[in-house]
Amino acid sequence: MTPNRHGTAVVEFPSELEIRVTREFAAPIQLVFDVFTKVEHVRKTFAPFGEEVTVCDIDLRVGGDYRYVMVTDDGIECAFRGTYLELEPPTRSVQTWLFEGWPEAHAVETMELREADGVTTLTWTLAFSDRAGRDHMTRFDGIEANFDNVEDYLRSLLAA
């Protein structure tokens, strides 16, 4: 039985423009990369609190775009989009990041993965273009809940 790592994400602020979250998953690196980058997996894990994912488009190539839309129980639409800048499967992806509710809060999102002894460590970083954009990010419970969803989903895949 793999350990439950819910709530174990470590949130750090390496600079006034950056947020870094580190989290471990008891799964092989390729599977973790796939769960974060393939439509059939992202659709099932992206919405942190059980919202309905209505759009999940991923063109996983340098220059390709992604867009995710989820709708809350009270009907609020939350959309995220960006363009892939770098891809090094299964260890790294870099893409632009924009929450459409904060159109002035542009960032670059980096996902780095490394595996040791069957555990994959994710380091996820958002680097905002300015302090005003960074200041929008005042809560991190959605990020942590998303990572908990990923953990639960990985467990289900590994158990199958």
Side-chain angles (χ1 to χ4, degrees), residues 40-132:
E40 63 268 25
H41 303 305
V42 173
R43 228 179 225 299
K44 296 175 182 174
T45 61
F46 180 72
F49 304 112
E51 301 87 350
E52 179 187 1
V53 175
T54 57
V55 175
C56 185
D57 296 326
I58 299 173
D59 182 5
L60 190 62
R61 62 181 175 84
V62 172
D65 295 326
Y66 71 90
R67 186 165 188 262
Y68 313 138
V69 179
M70 61 185 171
V71 179
T72 65
D73 289 341
D74 52 359
I76 297 172
E77 189 174 270
C78 302
F80 298 83
R81 64 180 162 86
T83 301
Y84 290 99
L85 305 173
E86 298 175 36
L87 287 168
E88 299 171 25
T91 60
R92 180 176 163 86
S93 71
V94 179
Q95 52 274 344
T96 61
W97 178 95
L98 180 69
F99 170 51
E100 292 178 5
W102 305 334
E104 71 284 358
H106 294 270
V108 173
E109 175 182 38
T110 302
M111 177 181 72
E112 296 176 308
L113 300 171
R114 69 179 190 287
E115 182 181 358
D117 300 321
V119 174
T120 298
T121 301
L122 162 71
T123 303
W124 178 85
T125 306
L126 269 185
F128 288 87
S129 58
D130 59 36
R131 183 63 195 241

Side-chain angles (χ1 to χ4, degrees), residues 2-9 23-26 119 148 151 155:
T2 58
N4 181 324
R5 291 186 167 90
H6 281 212
T8 62
R23 172 70 188 265
E24 292 182 340
F25 299 98
V119 174
D148 290 346
E151 176 184 331
R155 281 175 183 237

Side-chain angles (χ1 to χ4, degrees), residues 3-48:
N4 181 324
R5 291 186 167 90
H6 281 212
T8 62
V10 176
V11 179
E12 301 172 292
F13 306 93
S15 76
E16 67 179 28
L17 299 180
E18 292 178 294
I19 300 163
R20 180 183 306 135
V21 182
T22 306
R23 172 70 188 265
E24 292 182 340
F25 299 98
I29 192 170
Q30 183 66 57
L31 183 59
V32 175
F33 186 85
D34 289 348
V35 166
F36 278 103
T37 59
K38 291 188 174 185
V39 169
E40 63 268 25
H41 303 305
V42 173
R43 228 179 225 299
K44 296 175 182 174
T45 61
F46 180 72

